[in-house]
Amino acid sequence: MTQPASPPRPGDTRKVPPVDRTSPWRTVAARADVRTLSLLGVLAALVIIGGITKPDEFLDTRNLQLVLTQASVIGVVTVGMTFVITSGGIDLSVGAIVALASVWATTVATQDFGFAGVLFTAVLVGVGCGLVNGMLIAYGAMVPFIATLAMLASARGLALQITDGKTQIVTIDGILKLGERDSYVLGIPPLVLVFAVVTIIGWLLLNRTTFGRRTVAVGGNAEAARLAGIDVRRQRLYLYLLSGLCCGIAAFLLIILSGSGQNTNGNLYELDAIAAAIIGGTLLTGGRGTIVGSVLGVLIFTTITNIFALNNLQSDVQQIAKGAIIVAAVLVQRRTASTT
């Protein structure tokens, strides 16, 4: 066992070895910066590839606006998913909740209440589904995988029942105009602005509030968090409510984007959101999350999809590429965890 160095005596000219005063938080921040720079590098490489393969189409302003708009819907869902995964949970029902919220908010009866009625219904349905998930997981002691899988099946079935397999067309001018170019602010689509606001609020909530610290604590060690005085069950309930809220907002954005409500909306959103969070640096086992990384993950996946579409590549090749990226991200996470 190494003995601690004795303090220098008067007249002793020996040099005292410097004490390492590096804060653990600075180490974590440095790693986060490295991850963020790596993701930015990947995104830059994709932009270069898109610019080389299809320079006229990919670098066109309208195409770049389209990429950001498409990223906005899944991006809002990913912000909520990041919180859930950081707490050590999972939510497989986000895509189905988006579908249910979008069709419920676009029924004829709901549209009679105008713009506010559609928005309120979409958010209310999302929060309601999140409440059911949270109650089952936090107070019903159900495994998140099972509880959210049940919600996935139920929400999809209810969405199909409401629509009877038909597309519900939106007839409210205020909603339809938000999807037109005339509503862009300085060339930025309204959906992108909403995504930016949700991202900023999510970052502040996770990194600058007690709520965020409790989320990380629960994900790192739920029992230690409980002994520290954190109400773990209530915290988990809040997190699934937050995920449901993000799904409701995403459903409304999807209604603006498509001008309709369909039971097929949000298909595979759960996989895209989980994948984006993971490659962004959120630890799948909980205890670490990054909103900035998740947003970059969303942009990476959306850019890949856009490049593949412009180059007329098959969707199966696109899915293989996404799968390879997910596997690589998990392997990097495991390697990083084993060296810390």
Side-chain angles (χ1 to χ4, degrees), residues 291-303:
I291 298 296
V292 174
S294 295
V295 170
L296 290 175
V298 169
L299 292 176
I300 288 172
F301 275 131
T302 308
T303 304

Side-chain angles (χ1 to χ4, degrees), residues 325-336:
I325 293 174
I326 295 171
V327 171
V330 173
L331 291 176
V332 170
Q333 279 193 359
R334 293 188 62 180
R335 181 178 178 83
T336 303

Side-chain angles (χ1 to χ4, degrees), residues 38-51:
S38 299
L39 292 171
L40 287 172
V42 172
L43 185 58
L46 289 173
V47 171
I48 292 173
I49 292 173

Side-chain angles (χ1 to χ4, degrees), residues 144-336:
F145 181 90
I146 300 300
T148 57
L149 184 62
M151 176 59 72
L152 182 155
S154 301
R156 281 289 178 192
L158 185 54
L160 179 60
Q161 188 176 44
I162 292 174
T163 61
D164 194 26
K166 301 176 182 178
T167 300
Q168 298 177 164
I169 304 299
V170 176
T171 58
I172 302 173
D173 291 337
I175 293 178
L176 297 175
K177 287 181 179 178
L178 288 176
E180 299 176 355
R181 295 186 62 83
D182 292 340
S183 63
Y184 288 10
V185 180
L186 299 177
I188 303 175
L191 276 69
V192 178
L193 295 176
V194 173
F195 177 36
V197 171
V198 171
T199 299
I200 293 171
I201 294 175
W203 185 87
L204 292 173
L205 196 60
L206 184 61
N207 297 281
R208 292 292 184 267
T209 66
T210 303
F211 181 86
R213 289 192 291 271
R214 288 175 178 173
T215 300
V216 174
V218 170
N221 190 323
E223 181 60 21
R226 186 187 67 81
L227 294 175
I230 297 175
D231 191 332
V232 175
R233 294 189 299 180
R234 185 172 61 186
Q235 184 69 16
R236 284 175 174 161
L237 174 62
Y238 289 162
L239 289 166
Y240 282 95
L241 283 172
L242 178 60
S243 179
L245 173 63
C246 289
C247 289
I249 296 173
F252 184 71
L253 297 182
L254 194 56
I255 291 171
I256 296 173
L257 184 62
S258 63
S260 64
Q262 305 176 51
N263 66 286
T264 56
N265 283 343
N267 188 35
L268 296 181
Y269 272 20
E270 56 278 356
L271 298 183
D272 288 342
I274 293 171
I278 291 174
I279 72 169
T282 298
L283 197 61
L284 190 58
T285 54
R288 187 184 73 202
T290 163
I291 298 296
V292 174
S294 295
V295 170
L296 290 175
V298 169
L299 292 176
I300 288 172
F301 275 131
T302 308
T303 304
I304 290 175
T305 301
N306 184 259
I307 292 174
F308 274 56
L310 291 177
N311 287 276
N312 297 319
L313 297 177
Q314 298 295 327
S315 59
D316 53 351
V317 180
Q318 173 184 327
Q319 297 301 325
I320 293 172
K322 286 185 177 181
I325 293 174
I326 295 171
V327 171
V330 173
L331 291 176
V332 170
Q333 279 193 359
R334 293 188 62 180
R335 181 178 178 83
T336 303

